[in-house]
Amino acid sequence: MKKLNLVTAVSVLATLVAAPAFGQDATAEPPVVVPGHSLFVFNTLLFLIGGFLVMWMAAGFCMLEAGLVRSKNVAMQCTKNISLFSIAAIGYYLIGYNLMYPLGNWSIGTDETGGYLGAFGLAVLEAVGIGADDADDISYASTGSDYFFQLMFCAATASIVSGALAERIKLWPFLIFTLVLTAVIYPIQASWKWGGGFLDTQYGFQDFAGSTVVHSVGGWAALAGAIVLGARAGKYKDGRVNPMPGSNLPLATLGAFILWLGWFGFNGGSQLAMGSVGDVADVSRIFANTNAAAAGGVVAAILLTQFLYGKVDLTMALNGALAGLVSITAEPLQPTLGQATLIGAVGGVIVVFTVPMLDKMKIDDVVGAIPVHLFAGIWGTIAVVLTNGDATIFGQLFSIAVVGVFVFAVSIVIWFILNAVMGIRVTEEEELEGLDASELGLEAYPEFGKGSQFI
Amino acid sequence: MKKLNLVTAVSVLATLVAAPAFGQDATAEPPVVVPGHSLFVFNTLLFLIGGFLVMWMAAGFCMLEAGLVRSKNVAMQCTKNISLFSIAAIGYYLIGYNLMYPLGNWSIGTDETGGYLGAFGLAVLEAVGIGADDADDISYASTGSDYFFQLMFCAATASIVSGALAERIKLWPFLIFTLVLTAVIYPIQASWKWGGGFLDTQYGFQDFAGSTVVHSVGGWAALAGAIVLGARAGKYKDGRVNPMPGSNLPLATLGAFILWLGWFGFNGGSQLAMGSVGDVADVSRIFANTNAAAAGGVVAAILLTQFLYGKVDLTMALNGALAGLVSITAEPLQPTLGQATLIGAVGGVIVVFTVPMLDKMKIDDVVGAIPVHLFAGIWGTIAVVLTNGDATIFGQLFSIAVVGVFVFAVSIVIWFILNAVMGIRVTEEEELEGLDASELGLEAYPEFGKGSQFI
Amino acid sequence: MKKLNLVTAVSVLATLVAAPAFGQDATAEPPVVVPGHSLFVFNTLLFLIGGFLVMWMAAGFCMLEAGLVRSKNVAMQCTKNISLFSIAAIGYYLIGYNLMYPLGNWSIGTDETGGYLGAFGLAVLEAVGIGADDADDISYASTGSDYFFQLMFCAATASIVSGALAERIKLWPFLIFTLVLTAVIYPIQASWKWGGGFLDTQYGFQDFAGSTVVHSVGGWAALAGAIVLGARAGKYKDGRVNPMPGSNLPLATLGAFILWLGWFGFNGGSQLAMGSVGDVADVSRIFANTNAAAAGGVVAAILLTQFLYGKVDLTMALNGALAGLVSITAEPLQPTLGQATLIGAVGGVIVVFTVPMLDKMKIDDVVGAIPVHLFAGIWGTIAVVLTNGDATIFGQLFSIAVVGVFVFAVSIVIWFILNAVMGIRVTEEEELEGLDASELGLEAYPEFGKGSQFI
Amino acid sequence: MKLIIAIIKPFKLEEVREALTGIGVQGLMVSEVKGYGRQSGHTEIYRGAEYVVNFVPKIKLEIVVSDDQVERVVETISTTARTGKIGDGKVFIINVEQAVRVRTDERDEDAL
Amino acid sequence: MKLIIAIIKPFKLEEVREALTGIGVQGLMVSEVKGYGRQSGHTEIYRGAEYVVNFVPKIKLEIVVSDDQVERVVETISTTARTGKIGDGKVFIINVEQAVRVRTDERDEDAL
Amino acid sequence: MKLIIAIIKPFKLEEVREALTGIGVQGLMVSEVKGYGRQSGHTEIYRGAEYVVNFVPKIKLEIVVSDDQVERVVETISTTARTGKIGDGKVFIINVEQAVRVRTDERDEDAL
Ligand SMILES: Nc1ncnc2c1ncn2[C@@H]1O[C@H](COP(=O)(O)OP(=O)(O)O)[C@@H](O)[C@H]1O
Ligand SMILES: Nc1ncnc2c1ncn2[C@@H]1O[C@H](COP(=O)(O)OP(=O)(O)O)[C@@H](O)[C@H]1O
Ligand SMILES: Nc1ncnc2c1ncn2[C@@H]1O[C@H](COP(=O)(O)OP(=O)(O)O)[C@@H](O)[C@H]1O
């Protein structure tokens, strides 16, 4: 993302040059970029607003997952979500940020030949009360805002994993994996594109806000975990799939709405600039397209479930909204509103078909994270070629594959190690009793009955 | 709303003219409008922030309604809310936006003689990466941000309807009505005021953010639906009103808080500009007044229910907050903080008296949408004359009536047609079983007991 | 907070003076402050965004408390939270705002000799559509936005109290106390620091966003109330502590996430300016540090509870996040990311140890408000000296003491008076039945079982 | 005295209660149960997976009455609760040896 | 053996349980019920509409004890659960023909 | 006819139900109860305070069967529900004097 700097830098220079004319002649075309340091302030503000909206997505994932697990595992799901978000903040600070944005100082590779492994070191923000010349990049935005914004993307990746592995994974092994994911795995692969690494410079990979760099990464890590972990007890018995209904659907719905809201920051902030007419108008396009894609995903999911099953499935509608959002994330700017709606709708169709498909493969994804983030993420990354001339089908597919192989391979190795060292799964008895009682020693809804055992 | 363009255009010109002086003489009064394109960026930013806040209101309506219906209908209420929000996005894109903002190209009428029916066509945003001269209106804001902001108002209108008709209406007929409402009914009447149509130009109708244009419209459509649909089974038997308590009051409370938050975007964004000292100070007044009115509504409701019933009614307090917000929506700028509090308080009083009144009329409004959005909306529209000299009591009453007759008439016709063609109501058996089980085949809280049948 | 005006005023002048050079010579260093009135617009915008984020915290407190009380008291907790927020809006308008910001017109004291009691009068905003010279302070921000932002801090103080006194205090006495707290107690002590009073001018007290001025004040008022009120029936019997588990932990988790989000506005907005490179970069630092501190609080709490009790306690993790946030509130700007994480972590440790400590003292704080807001608030205020050279250990301790003595003394007197006049506690029978049934005559979850009586 | 246990469809509760009050029943206990029986066994689809719904929500009434009231109570329940559709429920009668009213320590018939 | 069914006020549960443990009762079952009786019938107002509250929350205890324990258990329950106010509840006694402990397949008295 | 009351561990419900259907049981009632017994009494810590967990979640089955079925049903339940660990539960047998099927007004054996 940061690479846009050059572009903006140029345009801001253009302004300063154009500036002398400004004001002298009211009829002359005023510069397109706002004068002085408004640019820096506007861009920083975009990151701050975008950042708190993406932070809010952590609550969205938590509510979605808390609503889709059975009541005996709800408190644990909440514990995992608030903990992973906190651990991500630490991992990204300690290693992640500089691994992802080496600003040229690659440990392996160079900007020209292609960067493969970023820099090591703590994240350091600009000093307090800097002047314009102390700013790390006066033509971009404050480093603090960039760090804040990027951290939230890193955390989102971890949130994706927790849902897929719910109701059976132990707390601590999960949190250890989260640390590795947010400190190392995510930042390394993200550097290949957004840090100006080889996928960006050598293969012209296009991924505006992260259908692949964020969502599919979470999806691959979740897939690896789900395979090593195995399905929940009783989920697949004698060839039948035994549904385990979510315990609190309005909470899950709230989660979906929160994610929908947060996504405006996710995609809109990824424009990385709003200090000019063009940039702010682009951010506006992105907001409108992001909403359109989510809407397309919902409508596709409700029509399809009605048609296939004779009844609308709310949980599929929620997944459909998220799949629509993931689908548009790789290119929320170029499509028209109509195109965005259709791209999102395809995402909705994908979840409706792939959720049962995973069940057939006995891969137990409790909340549908893999269909939503991995499958729709792949679709969205490919769909870029439909509306963005800079994207090549090869560049997209190759990058999807490289990221996929890397993340899946590293993740499954780590899952295996964790499993060997400490075991990643609770005992069957603990699982039947529920993780809240067995691992936390409390209940999420101590007064609301124990119906979870009816399943 | 857009008509303000002229005004702002003028002021921005003023600036450019004033500009030569700027900087030459630090003592001279600097222009009130910020220079260059900051204006465009600031205004666009106001729409983006306002827009995502209003989008968030969709979640607020969903939680409020999910909390106020019985548990056997909660999943359906969530399904309706996320679906209607998605359908609104499609309907407004396909027809609504240009019907509402013909920018002079009226299908029936003209800007001068009065516009009655707007233009037909898909919504089209500005191109990617535009320069200042490619902007549709450099003195206003980006079209994408305007579309995004306006769409959310349209969707809010539809959200109002879902609550009133809960627990008995079939999913699909409701969604079809939603499509008509968001694509045709809302945009047409909205064009009369905000599109520069006849109510605006001929009758000087004043409705700053939509007490009538948005809220009463939702209320009228809901009223028509409630009449055609009839009351819930067992709600009114042998002359007694049989209360059906909401299943999850903290969720309803969350919904009210979400709506309260979203309303800052709703009213504040309707200033349509924040790029000058005057505009941004006005937006500030609006934020403060909007909060004051909501507070007034709550305090009036709790005092009154304590006084009338000897006990405070939380659901009335929530309705009171919303009624206060609806009441101030027609004129959130002119009142002082004290006036705003009182205007909101009257809204709170209105709900406390009209909720039981509707019951006496055997009109079954599950969440109090009609008292809150229609009755308080009418009050708020009339109250404009108290603080805004441009408003005439005739202009306000006439416009309330015109909008009311149009929306109610068209809505009731459509409800009748839908009822004749496919039936809009579930069978009594399905209703008793609950819409979640009968229409969706699932439960919102599968583990939390089935107490809903105790009522 | 407002006192920063001078500083900013100076810098803006600097700009205007620097301005002539601007544009003439593109190579010259552009002014650090954005030109014209962007400064005013940016600062006002910061207050509006910060303000709605802090307003959102009211919902966070409500959800946190609704989730941590037993189901028979949930509706009452929601009633108290939405009511107190409304009453704060009225109290701060009628008296609070001018008591807190006398702008030199002290009723007792002077800016020079030290202000002790502010001015009396209603809050008045700038007129509609002001020009630059009508602005109360063109170098700062609009009064409306300042009022809106400050009001939310005042309301937050009241929200803190409601949690500690839950499940046994009567509605009306609590609301009367809220009125006194928000109209008088909070504003008076806040004026000593943020209104430019004696703690600020004479003792150089440093409290950036209110670890003491806001959080400890809520904590002291809560402590006084908890002492006068006594513990819940059955909480402490024959020397044992009898836990009363929260009824809805995902709701409590949602509340914690909401507060976390709102805190970016709380701390970030307290920079009071973002119209320059330095200010906006500082706001960015604050966002990043605030997040780091919350993360530190969570990680400390989960590690410690695992270590002490062999199991992670979700409710402690939530308290840990909030304690981390409170700890960094007094100085969110100066620390590095690492320091912020550690400062927050200490906050997390504090709650884990002080929650049981309070129980040993038989002080029944239902949601842990006192450990989080008072104890972590004191820690945060002291911690300022670690990173901010302007802070003296004496100045900090003295101010903590002065504020503590004042707030605790006045609060306990008012609690005693209320108790004598009307009684602040429900009867034991009402308490056992639950406040929802006895005081409100309804149930928060009428269909979800009555397990609350199992405790 | 007899304990009459009745399983009925939930939405019939109010009607049955009124009918029973009508014939002078002074008290009863209501609880939620999940019922398995002939009515059970329809299938639903959740996230694309079909499953059999074995348990349907029912209301269980427990009423202790004096022997002479039994027939009328049973009659009243079964006529009021009847819809004619599968799943209407059952009524079971069990002998009660003793009854006590906690408040007054009254015994047997007087305790009801 | 006898099955003792006791309906009590919810907040009395803990007290009663302790008292029973005190006299050597080794196990019991607790469930929530809604009770209808003399205590019922007060009115509330919701959203401006008045309605009668027919059902009040109660706790139902089910305890199987050997015949010789019955009187003491009944005594203990009714004294502990008594507040003297309407709604204190009832105790009913029913004959149990056989008891089995699942874990060990022990029968009757040994199963308790 | 007999009423068979069985208290089992919740996660055993599905297994037991299938087993019972297997031997021809046509209907039953399920409800949630909290059980107190030997299994109870472990301690937990909440917000730093230790407390004893007295009640553990259990499932209660109620099945009315004809006398000749009783032994098999009891057998089936206790073997299927057995884990060998404390807390497996109990089975109690009580005499039922009469049964009615609401839908058809059939009586006794035919009503089951
Ligand atoms: N043998 C039984 N013992 C206890 N309860 C039963 C028995 N058979 C049926 N029930 C209860 O009666 C309810 C209705 O029975 P069902 O067979 O579904 O319909 P019907 O009574 O109309 O034949 C069931 O849901 C179950 O709760
Ligand atoms: N005939 C009955 N059969 C079963 N339960 C009863 C009967 N009468 C009362 N109860 C239960 O006992 C509870 C208390 O009875 P109630 O008449 O309210 O007070 P009291 O027992 O003090 O007269 C009721 O709520 C109900 O649950
Ligand atoms: N005397 C009794 N009367 C009624 N229910 C009982 C009795 N004793 C035990 N139970 C029920 O049986 C369950 C299991 O009993 P418990 O003593 O814990 O284990 P076990 O049956 O293996 O000895 C308890 O949770 C309780 O619900």
Side-chain angles (χ1 to χ4, degrees), chain A residues 131-439:
Chain A
D133 26 16
D134 317 319
D136 292 339
D137 183 347
I138 192 65
S139 69
Y140 179 59
S142 79
T143 301
S145 66
D146 181 69
Y147 172 81
F148 180 71
F149 185 66
Q150 297 302 338
L151 162 61
M152 298 311 165
F153 279 63
C154 178
T157 311
S159 299
I160 293 166
V161 181
S162 64
L165 310 184
E167 303 201 281
R168 60 214 194 270
I169 194 169
K170 280 189 205 162
L171 177 60
W172 290 106
F174 170 74
L175 294 181
I176 293 168
F177 180 84
T178 299
L179 185 61
V180 179
L181 178 67
T182 55
V184 183
I185 301 175
Y186 169 80
I188 288 178
Q189 62 81 32
S191 73
W192 298 343
K193 165 60 187 168
W194 292 339
F198 75 104
L199 290 182
D200 181 51
T201 53
Q202 320 295 305
Y203 297 91
F205 177 35
Q206 299 298 322
D207 189 2
F208 194 92
S211 288
T212 286
V213 177
V214 177
H215 294 281
S216 80
V217 168
W220 287 116
L223 180 60
I227 290 169
V228 177
L229 196 54
R232 285 167 292 175
K235 173 73 179 178
Y236 308 111
K237 59 179 183 208
D238 35 82
R240 288 194 303 91
V241 177
N242 175 16
M244 299 175 171
S247 53
N248 191 332
L249 297 191
L251 207 61
T253 306
L254 174 65
F257 270 114
I258 292 173
L259 288 162
W260 192 322
L261 170 60
W263 231 287
F264 296 120
F266 199 96
N267 289 356
S270 296
Q271 172 73 10
L272 307 180
M274 72 168 177
S276 70
V277 170
D279 282 323
V280 82
D282 285 354
V283 174
S284 308
R285 275 185 72 94
I286 293 167
F287 271 53
N289 280 337
T290 299
N291 193 70
V298 170
V299 172
I302 60 174
L303 286 172
L304 199 57
T305 48
Q306 176 72 49
F307 176 80
L308 290 176
Y309 307 135
K311 280 176 176 169
V312 170
D313 186 331
L314 170 59
T315 67
M316 287 291 198
L318 303 180
N319 280 165
L322 304 182
L325 289 160
V326 170
S327 304
I328 202 67
T329 294
E331 184 45 272
L333 176 57
Q334 298 294 339
T336 63
L337 286 169
Q339 291 171 320
T341 310
L342 294 174
I343 290 170
V346 173
V349 172
I350 287 172
V351 285
V352 173
F353 284 116
T354 55
V355 164
M357 186 192 84
L358 274 182
D359 275 334
K360 282 193 191 42
M361 298 163 63
K362 295 199 173 4
I363 294 172
D364 187 12
D365 175 354
V366 177
V367 304
I370 295 165
V372 165
H373 299 277
L374 178 55
F375 300 155
I378 291 172
W379 151 246
T381 309
I382 295 170
V384 176
V385 300
L386 303 176
T387 61
N388 180 340
D390 303 346
T392 67
I393 184 72
F394 168 76
Q396 300 302 94
L397 290 176
F398 178 81
S399 302
I400 291 168
V402 169
V403 170
V405 169
F406 170 75
V407 175
F408 184 81
V410 177
S411 298
I412 205 154
V413 167
I414 291 168
W415 285 123
F416 273 125
I417 295 172
L418 287 170
N419 205 11
V421 174
M422 60 199 302
I424 62 176
R425 183 165 183 149
V426 299
T427 66
E428 172 151 16
E429 192 175 348
E430 291 170 322
E431 186 178 346
L432 290 170
E433 193 187 355
L435 274 54
D436 291 1
S438 61
E439 281 218 288

Side-chain angles (χ1 to χ4, degrees), chain D residues 35-39 58 87-90, chain F residues 27-28 62 64 101 103:
Chain D
Y36 173 74
R38 285 167 190 65
Q39 187 193 358
K58 297 280 171 188
D88 277 351
K90 317 273 184 200
Chain F
L28 47 81
E62 291 168 291
V64 176
R101 184 195 306 274
R103 172 166 48 102

Side-chain angles (χ1 to χ4, degrees), chain A residues 20 37 126 129-130 142 172 444 447, chain C residues 31 71 249 278 282 284-285 306 452:
Chain A
H37 295 300
E126 285 147 327
I130 52 166
S142 79
W172 290 106
E447 308 175 12
Chain C
S71 62
L249 297 191
D282 286 353
S284 308
R285 276 185 71 94
Q306 175 71 49
S452 53

Side-chain angles (χ1 to χ4, degrees), chain B residues 81-435:
Chain B
N81 273 276
I82 198 162
S83 301
L84 74 85
F85 186 73
S86 304
I87 284 169
I90 292 173
Y92 200 66
Y93 158 66
L94 292 176
I95 321 184
Y97 187 56
N98 284 309
L99 260 185
M100 182 165 167
Y101 292 119
L103 302 179
N105 315 321
W106 295 93
S107 302
I108 301 176
T110 69
D111 281 349
E112 298 62 37
T113 63
Y116 298 91
L117 181 66
F120 289 88
L122 301 180
V124 178
L125 310 182
E126 285 145 329
V128 175
I130 52 166
D133 28 15
D134 316 319
D136 292 338
D137 183 348
I138 191 63
S139 70
Y140 180 59
S142 79
T143 301
S145 65
D146 180 72
Y147 172 81
F148 180 72
F149 185 67
Q150 296 302 337
L151 162 61
M152 298 311 164
F153 279 62
C154 177
T157 311
S159 298
I160 293 165
V161 181
S162 64
L165 310 183
E167 303 202 283
R168 59 214 195 270
I169 194 168
K170 280 189 205 161
L171 176 60
W172 290 106
F174 169 74
L175 293 182
I176 293 169
F177 180 85
T178 299
L179 185 61
V180 179
L181 179 67
T182 56
V184 183
I185 301 175
Y186 169 79
I188 287 178
Q189 62 80 33
S191 72
W192 297 343
K193 166 61 187 167
W194 292 339
F198 75 105
L199 290 181
D200 181 52
T201 53
Q202 320 295 307
Y203 297 91
F205 178 36
Q206 299 298 322
D207 190 2
F208 193 93
S211 287
T212 286
V213 177
V214 177
H215 294 281
S216 79
V217 167
W220 288 115
L223 179 61
I227 290 169
V228 178
L229 195 54
R232 285 167 293 175
K235 173 72 178 178
Y236 308 111
K237 58 180 184 207
D238 33 84
R240 287 194 304 91
V241 178
N242 175 17
M244 300 177 171
S247 52
N248 191 333
L249 296 191
L251 207 61
T253 306
L254 174 65
F257 270 114
I258 292 174
L259 288 163
W260 191 322
L261 170 61
W263 230 288
F264 297 120
F266 199 96
N267 289 356
S270 296
Q271 174 73 9
L272 306 179
M274 70 167 178
S276 69
V277 169
D279 283 322
V280 83
D282 285 354
V283 174
S284 308
R285 277 184 70 94
I286 293 167
F287 270 53
N289 280 337
T290 299
N291 192 71
V298 169
V299 172
I302 60 175
L303 286 172
L304 200 58
T305 48
Q306 176 71 48
F307 177 79
L308 290 176
Y309 307 134
K311 281 176 177 169
V312 170
D313 186 331
L314 170 60
T315 67
M316 287 292 198
L318 303 180
N319 280 166
L322 303 183
L325 289 160
V326 170
S327 305
I328 202 67
T329 295
E331 184 47 270
L333 176 57
Q334 299 292 340
T336 63
L337 285 169
Q339 291 170 320
T341 309
L342 294 174
I343 290 169
V346 174
V349 171
I350 287 172
V351 284
V352 172
F353 284 115
T354 55
V355 164
M357 187 192 83
L358 274 181
D359 275 335
K360 282 196 190 43
M361 299 164 63
K362 294 198 174 5
I363 294 172
D364 187 11
D365 175 353
V366 178
V367 304
I370 295 165
V372 165
H373 299 277
L374 178 53
F375 300 154
I378 291 172
W379 152 245
T381 309
I382 295 170
V384 177
V385 300
L386 303 176
T387 61
N388 180 340
D390 303 347
T392 67
I393 185 73
F394 169 76
Q396 299 303 93
L397 290 175
F398 179 81
S399 302
I400 290 169
V402 169
V403 170
V405 170
F406 170 74
V407 174
F408 184 80
V410 177
S411 298
I412 206 155
V413 168
I414 290 168
W415 285 123
F416 273 126
I417 295 172
L418 286 171
N419 205 10
V421 174
M422 61 199 301
I424 62 176
R425 184 165 183 150
V426 298
T427 67
E428 171 153 17
E429 193 176 346
E430 291 170 322
E431 186 178 347
L432 289 172
E433 194 188 354
L435 274 54

